[in-house]
Amino acid sequence: MNEQANEKKFAGEAAAEYVENGMTVGLGTGSTVKYTIEKLAERMNNEGLRFRGVPTSFQTERLAQSLGIPLVTLDEAIELDLTIDGADELDNRLNGIKGGGGALLREKIVASASKRTIWTAHAAKKVEKLGTFPLPVEIVPFAAAVVLRKLEGEGMRPEIRQVNGEPYETDNGNWIVDLHLGEIDDPEHLEQWLNLLPGVVENGLFLNRTDMAVIAEGSKVTVIKK
Ligand code: 5RP
């Protein structure tokens, strides 16, 4: 395993320690939270940990099912105790960019239904200013040309995410536009502006949506609280 994969494992597993008996837990998406989910299955088998998960993507749902983790839908859970998720970038105010794995809409919905949210990441994800990572925006395919023109008009260098030469389709049947912004001066304004564009379903700015981050640098795990 390379250094980065090791850090993801340390961070992901450390975050799993925050799950307690009886909790309903939002299960994020990505290669870091994969380690959280595997660790939770291990705790279930070794310590008798009891919890229910709400997956934020089909990918996470399949992983959790394969490990025997009991799952409920968001409709059944309504309110969650905790969500654990990854991030693509986070700043020192614990604002971040998510959606590199294309699951931003469900991730934001599940986080919004949770009493607490923890992000888990390796240290390279920490940034002074958000925006180096292309900002994912989920759009309705019908609106693609119109939305692209508006974003281009603002100099945002939008690109429809592709897989094998076709637009990447989210679990919700939508597309993702990645915005190459370089840096984001006013994330609060940008988040609102994007979400007011007809055809935009949600954007990957997660502002004031997490309480804590579990960050691994080498084998050292640091907890950043709000
Ligand atoms: C998926 C996400 C992921 O949490 C984010 O991309 C981080 O993924 P990874 O842990 O693989 O680096 O937002 O939509």
Side-chain angles (χ1 to χ4, degrees), residues 76-167:
E76 287 162 331
I78 303 174
E79 188 179 52
L80 287 72
D81 298 290
L82 172 67
T83 287
I84 304 178
D85 206 345
D88 295 302
E89 269 186 3
L90 64 149
D91 67 14
N92 53 19
R93 291 186 297 159
L94 293 189
N95 287 331
I97 289 181
K98 288 182 49 52
L104 66 107
L105 176 58
R106 293 189 186 208
E107 290 173 335
K108 207 180 255 191
I109 294 169
V110 171
S112 78
S114 298
K115 289 184 203 153
R116 287 174 66 217
T117 295
I118 296 176
W119 282 347
T120 175
H122 63 281
K125 302 269 182 91
K126 269 173 49 198
V127 295
E128 285 294 316
K129 203 167 184 177
L130 300 176
T132 304
F133 190 90
L135 177 65
V137 178
E138 182 154 346
I139 64 160
V140 174
F142 176 78
V146 173
V147 171
L148 281 186
R149 201 165 65 87
K150 293 249 162 68
L151 297 170
E152 272 158 8
E154 297 294 322
M156 292 183 178
R157 295 165 56 217
E159 235 179 293
I160 295 189
R161 194 178 294 180
Q162 307 272 322
V163 177
N164 302 325
E166 295 291 327

